Amino acid sequence: MHKDYGRFCWYELMTPDVSAAERFYASVIGWTTKDSGMPGMNYTLAYAGESQVAGLMDIPAEAKGMPPLWIGYIFSDDLEKTLKDIVANGGQVHRQPQDIPGVGRFAVAADPHGAVFSLFSTEDEGPEQPGMMTPGHIGWNELMAGDLDSDWDFYAKTFGWTKDRAVDMSEGGMGIYQTFAVRGGNAIGGMMTKPADLPAPPFWGYYFVVEGLDAAIKRVTDGGGRILMDPMEVPGGAWIVNCLDPQGAHFSLVAATR
């Protein structure tokens, strides 16, 4: 098994207005952007320093009417086998493997409760993994699960994820928040059963690392985005906030300090 198997390796925004999203995220997170040069496709690459972090693209014609969203890519060195495992473990395949010329291959799938993610495979080494709290990068991957226990079994069986710390949030009516790692490494994300009052279906959310949360929150609202909750301190001392971008895509921010 490849050392990067089961790791999140790429992030992609599908949006109705790529140009507006470029300006917004460049301001909020500090990215620089440039066109990918892919023929026949409006695909923008976002960089933190010299590192490619994410892609921004138009919502595909076949997905017309889909709300804008961020989607995470999980690395696999054998897409066909991973897709078979996904189906065997109760998930669904939304898009069979397809080539990205000169880059690699991808597929789109969902867990048993419908939370969507993509798969990525390349002949090269897997994408470089920066430290989890590197500004401009994604610092945390979070699943609002249809059901924590059954979804945990799905991801553990499919990707070899291992349990890290479990945080009991029952006093706030939120149940268990289970953090996870890839085969016993450092924690890369967490999952919990989606609160009943959250209107969205089960989904993956991603936390972009910024320096100083309050200043970043002002950049969100100045740029036409919305803040969905008050800033919250999380175990370990970091601060988080959930947001919507101006086109309506959900994203989150995390910072070491307010």
Side-chain angles (χ1 to χ4, degrees):
M1 183 181 289
H2 193 284
K3 66 178 175 60
D4 286 323
Y5 187 86
R7 294 186 189 281
F8 282 90
C9 62
W10 187 246
Y11 301 87
E12 195 169 81
L13 175 66
M14 295 187 184
T15 179
D17 192 336
V18 172
S19 295
E22 276 187 65
R23 292 191 296 272
F24 176 77
Y25 287 100
S27 166
V28 171
I29 303 173
W31 287 341
T32 55
T33 57
K34 73 174 186 183
D35 184 75
S36 67
M38 286 187 191
M41 190 175 186
N42 182 13
Y43 195 95
T44 294
L45 295 170
Y47 290 78
E50 300 295 310
S51 302
Q52 288 184 11
V53 177
L56 315 177
M57 65 177 285
D58 292 317
I59 293 174
E62 65 267 24
K64 197 169 166 60
M66 179 189 85
L69 86 161
W70 279 98
I71 189 164
Y73 282 69
I74 300 173
F75 188 82
S76 165
D77 53 350
D78 187 339
L79 289 188
E80 281 74 12
K81 179 181 185 309
T82 302
L83 290 173
K84 280 183 185 171
D85 290 345
I86 284 168
V87 172
N89 294 330
Q92 307 136 46
V93 176
H94 288 319
R95 188 164 186 164
Q96 292 293 336
Q98 185 174 336
D99 288 333
I100 311 167
V103 178
R105 302 171 75 218
F106 80 101
V108 183
D111 69 23
H113 288 93
V116 176
F117 56 90
S118 289
L119 300 169
F120 178 72
S121 182
T122 177
E123 295 296 322
D124 304 326
E125 276 296 297
E128 189 180 340
Q129 303 291 329
M132 285 302 286
M133 285 297 283
T134 305
H137 290 263
I138 286 72
W140 197 247
N141 308 282
E142 185 172 81
L143 175 64
M144 288 291 156
D147 174 71
L148 173 60
D149 291 340
S150 59
D151 282 336
W152 172 258
D153 288 344
F154 167 80
Y155 288 103
K157 287 177 183 172
T158 305
F159 296 113
W161 291 355
T162 50
K163 288 185 177 181
D164 195 77
R165 181 179 176 188
V167 182
D168 188 346
M169 300 194 297
S170 302
E171 280 189 18
M174 308 270 276
I176 299 295
Y177 187 87
Q178 179 65 59
T179 67
F180 64 89
V182 180
R183 294 184 296 283
N186 293 327
I188 63 165
M191 59 178 76
M192 62 183 285
T193 300
K194 183 177 71 71
D197 59 356
L198 195 62
F203 67 96
W204 277 100
Y206 307 102
Y207 286 75
F208 301 103
V209 182
V210 291
E211 294 187 43
L213 195 65
D214 289 344
I217 286 171
K218 185 173 188 307
R219 296 195 296 273
V220 170
T221 53
D222 286 353
R226 283 176 52 205
I227 304 300
L228 300 179
M229 57 175 262
D230 291 332
M232 186 169 88
E233 190 173 13
V234 293
W239 288 83
I240 62 168
V241 69
N242 301 138
C243 317
L244 289 176
D245 73 17
Q247 286 70 49
H250 179 276
F251 71 101
S252 298
L253 300 174
V254 58
T257 62
R258 284 290 295 267

